Amino acid sequence: MNDIDTDDFLDDAVDERLAGRRHGPLGRLYHGETSIDFYGRRWWGLGLSAVLLLVSLGSIISQGLNLSLDFKGGVAWQVTSESLTETQARSVLTDAGLEGGNAKVHERTGESGRVLEVQVGDQPDEVRQQVQQALADKAVVGIDQVSTTSVSSSWGKSITEKALRALVVFLVLVAAFIAWRLEWRMAAAAIAAMLHDVLLSVGVYSLLGFEVTPATVVAFLTILGFSLYDTIVVFDKVRENQERYKAIRVPYADVINVSMNQVLMRSLNTSLAAILPVLSLLVLGSGILGAVTLREFALALLVGLLIGSYSSIFVASPLVAMAKEREPRYKSLRGQHATGAELERLVHGHSPSGRRESRRMSQGEVALITAALTPEAVLTHTLRPRKKKRRA
């Protein structure tokens, strides 16, 4: 018959009974008292990220991005008309000697009504004016109802190069600050998580064929800030618990698990608070009011916020844990971490239960103590008899 450590059993049983009666599942989530083994499931998150990254990179390489006129250059005509169709617009381009079948034609709703936009490569002034007049005739509107926009390819290339340089400078400065404020392993993990977010966001745009506009680029840069903020919140709690367990031997996996459970609700609240306004922009601003510019910005934000919330929990933290476990302090404890009731003890602020020399008890004694261990018994004790006074 197996023996059980009496003190460890009593501590675990008391903590489990009292904690269980204090909050339900949602209450434990709200108060940061969950006991989810994030470290034990790290390969699920990292594996999913690896698959999604491969799919994203494959899509970007094979079919590229649907770049707007601002990046690739060209000419765009916008016709305000309720009757002009896409087929008619393409036929106008073909009659002007252009490749109407390869042109980008889409419609949107503006303040003045239905707007049909036609985009082709850069063209000379004569062709622009010819197509402008032909579209006005086909739509039976005045030529002032057909606007023409021309952007050179060199301008788009210059904007792209500046955006990339700004991104590199941003990443370097952020890495230096995190390394100074926390440590270099956390800086490397935070940068990896941000790159993960950007690549997946760009991959979603490539897979679904969403148009990449300057507003999209601004949204992607905003995503970096949100992803960094959420990751720093987690890492700050990790560093706090790292200092807390500094005097005792605790696997770094326990530090990560405790920290993740304690800030889980905060991360969820932060993500929800950011996603709800973005959904409002998409539903109200774009869907109901017809503001296309808001849709381009809000769509990129929504994709990035969802991916950023995921990466701070399932990418950044596991990477830090795997790097820290190589240190001499934690290397001997690698592969060991608390789960279940022991993890719940740690999350509730208790110290790890060590192997103490104490009386051993049998399974039968365990059953008797379990049956008698009620909240009333835990919170009360038997009164001791008074000592008799000595007579003089």
Side-chain angles (χ1 to χ4, degrees):
M1 184 177 296
N2 297 329
D3 290 338
I4 297 178
D5 189 303
T6 308
D7 294 338
D8 288 348
F9 169 78
L10 290 174
D11 288 344
D12 292 346
V14 170
D15 292 339
E16 186 174 354
R17 286 290 181 88
L18 294 179
R21 290 179 64 88
R22 190 182 303 122
H23 301 299
L26 293 178
R28 290 196 294 272
L29 174 63
Y30 180 79
H31 289 87
E33 297 173 350
T34 55
S35 55
I36 303 172
D37 184 10
F38 289 99
Y39 179 83
R41 298 176 174 88
R42 66 192 183 282
W43 292 116
W44 289 97
L46 293 175
L48 177 61
S49 293
V51 172
L52 293 177
L53 285 174
L54 289 176
V55 173
S56 298
L57 289 174
S59 177
I60 294 172
I61 294 173
S62 61
Q63 62 187 51
L65 293 171
N66 181 17
L67 298 176
S68 69
L69 193 71
D70 301 281
F71 292 102
K72 63 182 181 182
V75 184
W77 296 272
Q78 295 182 358
V79 186
T80 303
S81 172
E82 299 291 339
S83 59
L84 184 65
T85 63
E86 179 180 336
T87 303
Q88 292 175 331
R90 293 185 185 278
S91 66
V92 168
L93 296 177
T94 303
D95 294 341
L98 305 177
E99 296 182 359
N102 296 330
K104 184 185 297 184
V105 181
H106 59 85
E107 65 176 71
R108 58 183 175 83
T109 302
E111 296 179 356
S112 57
R114 177 178 175 270
V115 177
L116 194 70
E117 185 176 24
V118 183
Q119 295 182 11
V120 296
D122 195 15
Q123 302 296 329
D125 292 338
E126 297 80 9
V127 176
R128 299 175 195 170
Q129 296 173 2
Q130 178 185 350
V131 173
Q132 183 181 16
Q133 184 64 56
L135 288 173
D137 295 340
K138 185 70 70 172
V140 194
V141 296
I143 195 171
D144 59 330
Q145 297 295 316
V146 182
S147 62
T148 305
T149 304
S150 178
V151 179
S152 65
S153 57
S154 60
W155 185 87
K157 182 180 179 181
S158 174
I159 292 298
T160 303
E161 291 176 352
K162 290 179 180 178
L164 290 176
R165 285 199 298 268
L167 178 60
V168 171
V169 172
F170 172 78
L171 294 178
V172 171
L173 292 177
V174 166
F177 174 78
I178 298 176
W180 169 72
R181 185 66 179 84
L182 299 174
E183 59 175 288
W184 69 268
R185 294 175 183 83
M186 292 184 178
I191 297 301
M194 284 194 294
L195 293 177
H196 165 275
D197 297 344
V198 172
L199 284 175
L200 286 190
S201 300
V202 174
V204 170
Y205 266 69
S206 175
L207 281 170
L208 301 181
F210 295 150
E211 188 177 34
V212 179
T213 66
T216 307
V217 176
V218 173
F220 284 161
L221 296 178
T222 307
I223 291 166
L224 294 181
F226 176 83
S227 174
L228 178 64
Y229 169 77
D230 206 25
T231 302
I232 292 301
V233 168
V234 176
F235 284 173
D236 187 62
K237 177 59 71 172
V238 170
R239 190 191 64 162
E240 178 184 328
N241 286 320
Q242 186 176 318
E243 293 297 321
R244 172 188 166 196
Y245 295 124
K246 192 173 183 179
I248 54 180
R249 287 174 56 83
V250 174
Y252 201 79
D254 288 346
V255 177
I256 289 292
N257 271 340
V258 171
S259 304
M260 294 299 301
N261 281 283
Q262 290 175 344
V263 300
L264 178 60
M265 191 60 196
R266 181 175 178 179
S267 295
L268 293 177
N269 284 335
T270 302
S271 301
L272 288 175
I275 289 172
L276 289 178
V278 174
L279 285 176
S280 299
L281 288 176
L282 277 175
V283 177
L284 297 177
S286 176
I288 298 177
L289 301 179
V292 179
T293 305
L294 291 179
R295 180 180 61 192
E296 296 169 354
F297 183 74
L299 186 60
L301 274 182
L302 180 63
V303 172
L305 289 175
L306 293 174
I307 296 174
S309 302
Y310 165 83
S311 68
S312 63
I313 297 176
F314 296 102
V315 176
S317 298
L319 290 178
V320 170
M322 295 168 65
K324 292 289 290 185
E325 283 184 333
R326 298 179 180 275
E327 293 184 359
R329 172 182 172 80
Y330 301 106
K331 192 172 184 180
S332 61
L333 301 174
R334 190 175 180 179
Q336 307 174 25
H337 68 283
T339 58
E342 179 62 19
L343 177 57
E344 188 174 355
R345 281 176 52 88
L346 296 176
V347 173
H348 278 76
H350 295 278
S351 298
S353 57
R355 302 297 302 171
R356 298 184 294 269
E357 293 295 332
S358 58
R359 185 180 69 84
R360 315 299 291 185
M361 63 180 178
S362 64
Q363 295 287 355
E365 293 174 312
V366 169
L368 291 175
I369 293 178
T370 303
L373 193 58
T374 62
E376 292 75 16
V378 172
L379 299 175
T380 60
H381 62 276
T382 304
L383 295 176
R384 292 181 296 179
R386 296 181 178 179
K387 296 182 178 180
K388 293 182 180 180
K389 296 182 179 180
R390 293 185 179 181
R391 294 183 179 178

Coordinates of all heavy atoms in Angstrom, one line a residue, residues 71-138:
F71 N 1.1 52.0 -53.9 CA 2.4 51.3 -53.8 C 3.0 50.9 -55.2 O 4.2 50.9 -55.4 CB 2.2 50.1 -53.0 CG 2.0 50.4 -51.5 CD1 0.7 50.3 -51.0 CD2 3.0 50.8 -50.7 CE1 0.4 50.6 -49.7 CE2 2.8 51.1 -49.3 CZ 1.5 51.0 -48.8
K72 N 2.1 50.5 -56.1 CA 2.6 50.0 -57.4 C 2.5 51.0 -58.5 O 3.1 50.8 -59.6 CB 1.9 48.7 -57.8 CG 0.4 48.9 -58.0 CD -0.3 47.6 -58.4 CE -1.8 47.8 -58.7 NZ -2.5 46.6 -59.0
G73 N 1.8 52.1 -58.2 CA 1.7 53.2 -59.2 C 0.7 52.9 -60.3 O 0.3 51.7 -60.5
G74 N 0.2 53.9 -61.0 CA -0.7 53.7 -62.1 C -1.8 54.8 -62.1 O -1.6 55.9 -61.5
V75 N -2.9 54.5 -62.8 CA -4.0 55.5 -62.9 C -5.2 54.9 -62.4 O -5.5 53.7 -62.7 CB -4.1 55.9 -64.4 CG1 -5.2 57.0 -64.6 CG2 -2.8 56.4 -65.0
A76 N -6.1 55.7 -61.8 CA -7.4 55.2 -61.3 C -8.4 56.3 -61.7 O -8.2 57.5 -61.6 CB -7.3 55.1 -59.8
W77 N -9.5 55.7 -62.2 CA -10.7 56.6 -62.6 C -11.8 56.2 -61.6 O -12.1 55.0 -61.5 CB -11.2 56.4 -64.0 CG -10.1 56.8 -65.0 CD1 -10.0 58.0 -65.6 CD2 -9.2 56.0 -65.7 NE1 -9.0 58.0 -66.5 CE2 -8.4 56.8 -66.6 CE3 -8.8 54.6 -65.6 CZ2 -7.4 56.3 -67.4 CZ3 -7.8 54.1 -66.3 CH2 -7.1 55.0 -67.2
Q78 N -12.5 57.2 -61.1 CA -13.6 56.9 -60.2 C -14.8 57.6 -60.8 O -14.9 58.8 -61.0 CB -13.3 57.5 -58.8 CG -12.2 56.8 -58.0 CD -12.0 57.3 -56.6 OE1 -12.7 58.2 -56.2 NE2 -11.1 56.7 -55.9
V79 N -15.9 56.8 -61.0 CA -17.1 57.2 -61.7 C -18.2 57.1 -60.7 O -18.5 56.1 -60.1 CB -17.4 56.4 -62.9 CG1 -18.6 57.0 -63.7 CG2 -16.2 56.3 -63.8
T80 N -18.9 58.2 -60.5 CA -20.1 58.2 -59.6 C -21.3 58.0 -60.5 O -21.8 58.8 -61.3 CB -20.3 59.6 -58.9 OG1 -19.1 59.9 -58.2 CG2 -21.5 59.6 -58.0
S81 N -21.8 56.7 -60.4 CA -22.9 56.3 -61.3 C -23.6 55.1 -60.7 O -23.0 54.2 -60.1 CB -22.4 56.0 -62.7 OG -23.4 55.4 -63.5
E82 N -24.9 55.1 -60.9 CA -25.7 53.9 -60.4 C -25.9 52.9 -61.5 O -26.4 51.8 -61.2 CB -27.1 54.4 -59.9 CG -27.0 55.4 -58.7 CD -26.5 54.7 -57.5 OE1 -26.6 53.5 -57.4 OE2 -26.0 55.5 -56.6
S83 N -25.6 53.3 -62.7 CA -25.9 52.4 -63.9 C -24.7 51.7 -64.5 O -24.8 50.7 -65.1 CB -26.7 53.2 -64.9 OG -25.9 54.3 -65.4
L84 N -23.5 52.3 -64.4 CA -22.3 51.8 -65.1 C -21.9 50.5 -64.4 O -21.8 50.4 -63.2 CB -21.2 52.8 -65.0 CG -19.9 52.4 -65.7 CD1 -20.1 52.3 -67.2 CD2 -18.8 53.4 -65.4
T85 N -21.8 49.4 -65.2 CA -21.4 48.1 -64.7 C -19.9 47.9 -64.9 O -19.2 48.6 -65.6 CB -22.2 47.0 -65.5 OG1 -21.8 47.0 -66.9 CG2 -23.7 47.2 -65.3
E86 N -19.4 46.8 -64.3 CA -18.0 46.4 -64.4 C -17.7 46.0 -65.8 O -16.6 46.4 -66.3 CB -17.7 45.3 -63.4 CG -16.3 44.8 -63.5 CD -16.0 43.7 -62.5 OE1 -16.8 43.6 -61.5 OE2 -15.1 42.9 -62.7
T87 N -18.6 45.3 -66.5 CA -18.4 44.9 -67.8 C -18.2 46.1 -68.8 O -17.4 46.1 -69.7 CB -19.5 43.9 -68.3 OG1 -19.6 42.8 -67.4 CG2 -19.2 43.4 -69.7
Q88 N -19.1 47.0 -68.6 CA -19.0 48.2 -69.5 C -17.7 49.0 -69.2 O -17.1 49.5 -70.2 CB -20.2 49.1 -69.2 CG -21.5 48.6 -69.6 CD -22.7 49.4 -69.2 OE1 -22.6 50.1 -68.1 NE2 -23.8 49.4 -70.0
A89 N -17.3 49.1 -68.0 CA -16.0 49.8 -67.7 C -14.8 49.1 -68.3 O -13.9 49.7 -68.9 CB -15.8 49.9 -66.2
R90 N -14.8 47.8 -68.3 CA -13.7 47.0 -68.9 C -13.7 47.2 -70.5 O -12.7 47.2 -71.1 CB -13.8 45.5 -68.6 CG -13.5 45.3 -67.1 CD -13.5 43.8 -66.8 NE -13.4 43.5 -65.3 CZ -12.2 43.5 -64.7 NH1 -11.1 43.8 -65.3 NH2 -12.2 43.3 -63.4
S91 N -14.9 47.3 -71.0 CA -15.0 47.4 -72.5 C -14.5 48.8 -72.9 O -13.9 49.0 -74.0 CB -16.5 47.3 -72.9 OG -17.3 48.3 -72.4
V92 N -14.7 49.8 -72.0 CA -14.1 51.1 -72.3 C -12.6 51.1 -72.4 O -12.0 51.7 -73.3 CB -14.6 52.2 -71.3 CG1 -13.8 53.5 -71.4 CG2 -16.1 52.4 -71.4
L93 N -12.0 50.4 -71.4 CA -10.5 50.2 -71.4 C -10.0 49.5 -72.7 O -9.0 49.9 -73.3 CB -10.1 49.5 -70.2 CG -10.4 50.2 -68.8 CD1 -10.0 49.3 -67.7 CD2 -9.7 51.5 -68.7
T94 N -10.8 48.4 -73.1 CA -10.4 47.7 -74.2 C -10.4 48.5 -75.5 O -9.6 48.5 -76.4 CB -11.3 46.4 -74.4 OG1 -11.2 45.6 -73.2 CG2 -10.8 45.6 -75.6
D95 N -11.5 49.3 -75.6 CA -11.6 50.2 -76.8 C -10.5 51.2 -76.9 O -10.2 51.7 -77.9 CB -13.0 50.9 -76.7 CG -14.1 49.9 -76.9 OD1 -13.9 48.8 -77.4 OD2 -15.3 50.3 -76.5
A96 N -9.9 51.6 -75.7 CA -8.9 52.6 -75.6 C -7.5 51.9 -75.9 O -6.5 52.6 -75.8 CB -8.9 53.3 -74.3
G97 N -7.5 50.6 -76.1 CA -6.2 49.9 -76.4 C -5.5 49.4 -75.1 O -4.3 49.0 -75.2
L98 N -6.3 49.3 -74.0 CA -5.7 48.8 -72.7 C -6.2 47.4 -72.5 O -7.2 47.0 -73.1 CB -6.1 49.7 -71.6 CG -5.7 51.2 -71.7 CD1 -6.2 52.0 -70.5 CD2 -4.2 51.4 -71.9
E99 N -5.6 46.7 -71.5 CA -6.0 45.4 -71.2 C -7.1 45.4 -70.2 O -6.9 45.5 -68.9 CB -4.8 44.6 -70.7 CG -3.7 44.3 -71.7 CD -2.6 43.5 -71.1 OE1 -2.7 43.1 -70.0 OE2 -1.6 43.2 -71.9
G100 N -8.3 45.5 -70.6 CA -9.5 45.6 -69.8 C -9.7 44.4 -68.9 O -10.2 44.5 -67.7
G101 N -9.3 43.2 -69.3 CA -9.5 42.0 -68.5 C -8.6 42.0 -67.3 O -8.9 41.3 -66.3
N102 N -7.4 42.6 -67.4 CA -6.5 42.6 -66.3 C -6.6 43.8 -65.4 O -5.9 43.9 -64.4 CB -5.0 42.5 -66.8 CG -4.8 41.3 -67.6 OD1 -5.4 40.2 -67.3 ND2 -3.9 41.3 -68.6
A103 N -7.5 44.7 -65.7 CA -7.7 45.9 -64.9 C -8.4 45.6 -63.6 O -9.1 44.6 -63.5 CB -8.5 47.0 -65.6
K104 N -8.1 46.4 -62.6 CA -8.8 46.2 -61.2 C -10.0 47.1 -61.2 O -9.9 48.3 -61.2 CB -7.8 46.5 -60.1 CG -8.3 46.3 -58.7 CD -7.4 46.8 -57.7 CE -6.1 46.0 -57.7 NZ -5.2 46.4 -56.6
V105 N -11.1 46.5 -61.1 CA -12.4 47.2 -61.1 C -13.2 46.8 -59.8 O -13.5 45.6 -59.6 CB -13.2 47.0 -62.3 CG1 -14.5 47.8 -62.3 CG2 -12.4 47.3 -63.6
H106 N -13.6 47.7 -59.0 CA -14.4 47.4 -57.9 C -15.3 48.6 -57.5 O -14.9 49.7 -57.8 CB -13.6 47.0 -56.6 CG -12.6 48.0 -56.2 ND1 -12.9 49.0 -55.3 CD2 -11.3 48.2 -56.5 CE1 -11.9 49.7 -55.1 NE2 -10.9 49.3 -55.8
E107 N -16.4 48.3 -56.9 CA -17.3 49.4 -56.5 C -17.4 49.6 -55.0 O -17.2 48.6 -54.3 CB -18.7 49.1 -57.1 CG -19.4 47.9 -56.5 CD -20.8 47.7 -57.0 OE1 -20.9 47.4 -58.2 OE2 -21.8 47.9 -56.3
R108 N -17.8 50.8 -54.6 CA -17.9 51.1 -53.2 C -19.0 52.1 -53.1 O -19.4 52.7 -54.1 CB -16.6 51.6 -52.6 CG -16.0 52.8 -53.3 CD -14.7 53.2 -52.7 NE -14.1 54.3 -53.3 CZ -14.3 55.6 -53.1 NH1 -15.3 55.9 -52.3 NH2 -13.7 56.5 -53.8
T109 N -19.5 52.3 -51.9 CA -20.5 53.3 -51.6 C -19.9 54.5 -51.0 O -19.3 54.4 -49.9 CB -21.6 52.7 -50.7 OG1 -22.1 51.5 -51.3 CG2 -22.7 53.7 -50.4
G110 N -20.0 55.7 -51.6 CA -19.5 56.9 -51.0 C -20.6 57.8 -50.6 O -21.8 57.5 -50.6
E111 N -20.2 59.0 -50.2 CA -21.2 60.0 -49.7 C -22.2 60.4 -50.8 O -23.4 60.7 -50.6 CB -20.5 61.2 -49.2 CG -19.6 61.0 -48.0 CD -18.9 62.2 -47.5 OE1 -19.1 63.3 -48.1 OE2 -18.3 62.1 -46.4
S112 N -21.7 60.4 -52.1 CA -22.5 60.9 -53.2 C -23.2 59.7 -53.9 O -23.9 59.9 -54.9 CB -21.7 61.6 -54.2 OG -20.6 60.8 -54.7
G113 N -23.1 58.5 -53.4 CA -23.7 57.3 -53.9 C -22.8 56.2 -54.4 O -21.6 56.1 -53.8
R114 N -23.2 55.5 -55.3 CA -22.3 54.3 -55.8 C -21.2 54.9 -56.6 O -21.3 55.7 -57.5 CB -23.2 53.4 -56.7 CG -22.4 52.2 -57.3 CD -23.4 51.3 -58.0 NE -22.7 50.3 -58.8 CZ -22.3 50.4 -60.0 NH1 -22.4 51.5 -60.7 NH2 -21.7 49.4 -60.6
V115 N -20.0 54.4 -56.3 CA -18.7 54.8 -57.0 C -18.1 53.6 -57.6 O -17.8 52.6 -56.9 CB -17.8 55.6 -56.1 CG1 -16.5 55.9 -56.9 CG2 -18.5 56.8 -55.6
L116 N -17.8 53.6 -58.9 CA -17.0 52.5 -59.5 C -15.6 53.0 -59.8 O -15.4 54.0 -60.4 CB -17.7 52.1 -60.9 CG -17.3 50.8 -61.5 CD1 -17.8 49.6 -60.6 CD2 -17.8 50.7 -62.9
E117 N -14.6 52.2 -59.3 CA -13.2 52.6 -59.4 C -12.5 51.6 -60.4 O -12.6 50.4 -60.3 CB -12.5 52.6 -58.1 CG -11.1 53.1 -58.1 CD -10.5 53.2 -56.7 OE1 -10.9 52.4 -55.8 OE2 -9.5 54.0 -56.6
V118 N -11.8 52.2 -61.3 CA -11.1 51.4 -62.3 C -9.6 51.8 -62.2 O -9.2 52.9 -62.3 CB -11.6 51.7 -63.7 CG1 -10.9 50.8 -64.8 CG2 -13.1 51.5 -63.8
Q119 N -8.7 50.7 -62.1 CA -7.3 51.0 -61.9 C -6.5 50.2 -63.0 O -6.8 49.0 -63.3 CB -6.8 50.5 -60.6 CG -7.4 51.3 -59.4 CD -6.8 50.8 -58.1 OE1 -5.9 50.1 -58.0 NE2 -7.4 51.3 -57.0
V120 N -5.5 50.9 -63.6 CA -4.6 50.2 -64.6 C -3.2 50.8 -64.3 O -3.0 51.6 -63.4 CB -5.0 50.5 -66.0 CG1 -6.4 49.9 -66.4 CG2 -5.0 52.0 -66.3
G121 N -2.2 50.3 -65.1 CA -0.9 50.8 -64.9 C -0.8 52.2 -65.4 O -1.7 52.8 -65.9
D122 N 0.4 52.8 -65.2 CA 0.7 54.2 -65.6 C 0.4 54.4 -67.1 O 0.9 53.6 -67.9 CB 2.1 54.6 -65.2 CG 2.3 56.1 -65.3 OD1 1.3 56.8 -65.3 OD2 3.5 56.5 -65.2
Q123 N -0.2 55.5 -67.5 CA -0.6 55.8 -68.8 C -0.3 57.3 -69.1 O -0.3 58.1 -68.2 CB -2.1 55.6 -69.1 CG -2.6 54.1 -68.8 CD -2.0 53.1 -69.7 OE1 -1.7 53.4 -70.8 NE2 -1.7 51.9 -69.1
P124 N -0.1 57.6 -70.4 CA 0.2 59.0 -70.8 C -1.1 59.8 -70.7 O -2.2 59.3 -70.5 CB 0.6 58.9 -72.3 CG 0.1 57.6 -72.8 CD 0.1 56.7 -71.6
D125 N -0.9 61.2 -70.7 CA -2.1 62.1 -70.5 C -3.2 61.9 -71.5 O -4.4 62.0 -71.1 CB -1.6 63.5 -70.5 CG -0.7 63.8 -69.3 OD1 -0.8 63.1 -68.3 OD2 0.1 64.8 -69.4
E126 N -2.8 61.6 -72.7 CA -3.8 61.5 -73.8 C -4.8 60.3 -73.5 O -6.0 60.4 -73.6 CB -3.2 61.3 -75.2 CG -2.3 62.4 -75.6 CD -0.9 62.5 -75.0 OE1 -0.6 61.5 -74.3 OE2 -0.2 63.5 -75.1
V127 N -4.2 59.2 -73.0 CA -5.0 58.0 -72.7 C -5.9 58.3 -71.5 O -7.0 57.8 -71.5 CB -4.1 56.8 -72.5 CG1 -4.9 55.6 -72.1 CG2 -3.3 56.5 -73.8
R128 N -5.3 58.9 -70.5 CA -6.1 59.2 -69.3 C -7.4 60.0 -69.7 O -8.5 59.7 -69.2 CB -5.3 60.0 -68.3 CG -4.0 59.3 -67.8 CD -3.2 60.2 -66.9 NE -1.9 59.6 -66.7 CZ -0.9 60.3 -66.1 NH1 -1.1 61.6 -65.7 NH2 0.3 59.8 -66.0
Q129 N -7.2 61.1 -70.5 CA -8.3 61.9 -70.8 C -9.3 61.2 -71.7 O -10.5 61.4 -71.6 CB -7.8 63.2 -71.5 CG -6.9 64.1 -70.7 CD -6.3 65.2 -71.4 OE1 -6.5 65.4 -72.6 NE2 -5.4 66.0 -70.7
Q130 N -8.8 60.3 -72.6 CA -9.7 59.6 -73.5 C -10.5 58.6 -72.7 O -11.8 58.6 -72.9 CB -8.8 58.8 -74.5 CG -9.6 57.9 -75.5 CD -8.8 57.1 -76.4 OE1 -7.5 57.3 -76.4 NE2 -9.4 56.1 -77.1
V131 N -10.0 57.9 -71.7 CA -10.7 57.0 -70.9 C -11.7 57.7 -70.0 O -12.9 57.3 -69.8 CB -9.8 56.1 -70.1 CG1 -10.6 55.2 -69.1 CG2 -9.0 55.2 -71.0
Q132 N -11.3 58.9 -69.5 CA -12.2 59.7 -68.6 C -13.4 60.1 -69.4 O -14.5 60.0 -68.9 CB -11.4 60.9 -68.1 CG -12.2 61.8 -67.2 CD -11.4 63.0 -66.7 OE1 -10.4 63.4 -67.3 NE2 -11.9 63.6 -65.7
Q133 N -13.2 60.6 -70.6 CA -14.4 61.0 -71.4 C -15.3 59.8 -71.8 O -16.5 59.9 -71.8 CB -13.9 61.7 -72.7 CG -15.0 62.3 -73.5 CD -15.8 63.3 -72.8 OE1 -15.3 64.3 -72.3 NE2 -17.1 63.1 -72.7
A134 N -14.6 58.7 -72.1 CA -15.4 57.5 -72.5 C -16.2 56.9 -71.3 O -17.4 56.5 -71.5 CB -14.5 56.4 -73.0
L135 N -15.7 57.0 -70.2 CA -16.4 56.5 -69.0 C -17.6 57.4 -68.7 O -18.7 57.0 -68.3 CB -15.5 56.4 -67.8 CG -14.5 55.3 -67.8 CD1 -13.5 55.5 -66.6 CD2 -15.1 53.9 -67.7
A136 N -17.4 58.7 -68.9 CA -18.5 59.7 -68.6 C -19.6 59.5 -69.6 O -20.8 59.5 -69.3 CB -18.0 61.1 -68.7
D137 N -19.2 59.2 -70.9 CA -20.3 58.9 -71.9 C -21.0 57.7 -71.6 O -22.2 57.6 -71.8 CB -19.6 58.9 -73.3 CG -19.0 60.2 -73.7 OD1 -19.4 61.3 -73.1 OD2 -18.1 60.2 -74.6
K138 N -20.3 56.6 -71.2 CA -20.9 55.3 -71.0 C -21.8 55.4 -69.8 O -22.9 54.7 -69.7 CB -19.8 54.2 -70.8 CG -20.4 52.8 -70.6 CD -20.9 52.3 -71.9 CE -19.8 52.0 -72.9 NZ -20.4 51.3 -74.1

